[in-house]
Amino acid sequence: MKIYTKSGDQGTTSLVNGSRVSKNHIRIEATGAVDELNSWIGLLAEYTIISDKKDILRSIQNRLFEIGSHLASEKILDKLPQIKLLHITHLEQEIDNMTSSLAPMKYFILPGGHKEVAFCHVARTVCRRAERNITTLHASHPLNENILAYINRLSDFLFTLCRYMCVKLEVDEISWIPENN
């Protein structure tokens, strides 16, 4: 099987049902953001400092692939793997578990403190972009509501993971403290 088909050479791509849309269609923008996010999650899963989170990160990658299949479909298809409430609950449990080992937040946190933490913040911001794109798509082409909830909770998970990584790496979070003008 050849990896190239040449069918996208004119700036269109196929959806699940075979119909074609422009590569800059919001459906493709959302799919692309989720794909990019999946790559960042794959990078995070390789960090030895959070090897205890590798299983959840791989699970998230699978969920993102499933979300991508829904984004690439013009209608809600029951035959596609579904994002379920239990997937959202699992993220919430992971957030709660990590939060139990963290000091309470006193300030907003700036991305950084360590290279690996900074990469996790990049993943978080890509997740937020994916969420914005998915929300835009949902406004005109309704999606399963659990997809929206999952992506929203995932950004919370990634923020908490950034904080958790600082603890594991024994580095300080960078607090945003506004300067008085």
Side-chain angles (χ1 to χ4, degrees):
M1 177 179 157
K2 289 187 176 187
I3 191 66
Y4 59 90
T5 63
K6 301 181 184 182
S7 61
D9 290 354
Q10 301 303 311
T12 64
T13 191
S14 291
L15 298 177
V16 170
N17 69 352
S19 66
R20 299 194 69 79
V21 296
S22 172
K23 289 186 178 185
N24 67 356
H25 188 281
I26 187 59
R27 184 175 299 285
I28 304 309
E29 289 290 335
T31 305
V34 168
D35 186 33
E36 182 182 352
L37 175 58
N38 207 334
S39 294
W40 283 105
I41 300 293
L43 176 67
L44 296 176
E46 298 306 318
Y47 290 166
T48 55
I49 194 67
I50 54 169
S51 60
D52 59 321
K53 300 299 175 197
K54 190 168 191 158
D55 288 345
I56 181 66
L57 291 168
R58 292 292 184 226
S59 173
I60 290 167
Q61 286 189 286
N62 280 298
R63 298 299 78 73
L64 291 174
F65 229 79
E66 292 164 2
I67 288 170
S69 69
H70 286 272
L71 299 177
S73 176
E74 289 183 306
K75 54 186 166 184
I76 297 175
L77 298 175
D78 291 334
K79 68 180 180 178
L80 296 175
Q82 298 298 309
I83 301 301
K84 300 175 181 154
L85 186 57
L86 70 95
H87 297 126
I88 298 162
T89 302
H90 189 213
L91 284 179
E92 292 169 347
Q93 290 168 345
E94 288 289 331
I95 292 167
D96 292 344
N97 288 339
M98 287 187 288
T99 300
S100 70
S101 67
L102 302 174
M105 280 182 49
K106 296 179 182 174
Y107 301 99
F108 286 107
I109 297 170
L110 297 175
H114 189 280
K115 179 173 61 173
E116 292 180 3
V117 176
F119 282 135
C120 191
H121 276 289
V122 172
R124 176 187 57 77
T125 61
V126 171
C127 186
R128 286 291 191 202
R129 177 165 32 94
E131 182 180 20
R132 290 189 303 272
N133 288 340
I134 290 168
T135 301
T136 300
L137 176 62
H138 178 68
S140 58
H141 301 87
L143 299 164
N144 180 320
E145 300 274 336
N146 286 341
I147 291 173
L148 297 165
Y150 186 86
I151 290 292
N152 183 46
R153 209 70 77 252
L154 180 55
S155 65
D156 297 333
F157 169 86
L158 291 169
F159 178 77
T160 307
L161 183 61
C162 291
R163 298 193 68 221
Y164 179 77
M165 289 173 71
C166 283
V167 170
K168 298 280 278 187
L169 290 162
E170 299 178 358
V171 298
D172 292 331
E173 295 174 324
I174 302 173
S175 298
W176 176 63
I177 302 171
E179 296 177 9
N180 292 333
N181 293 337

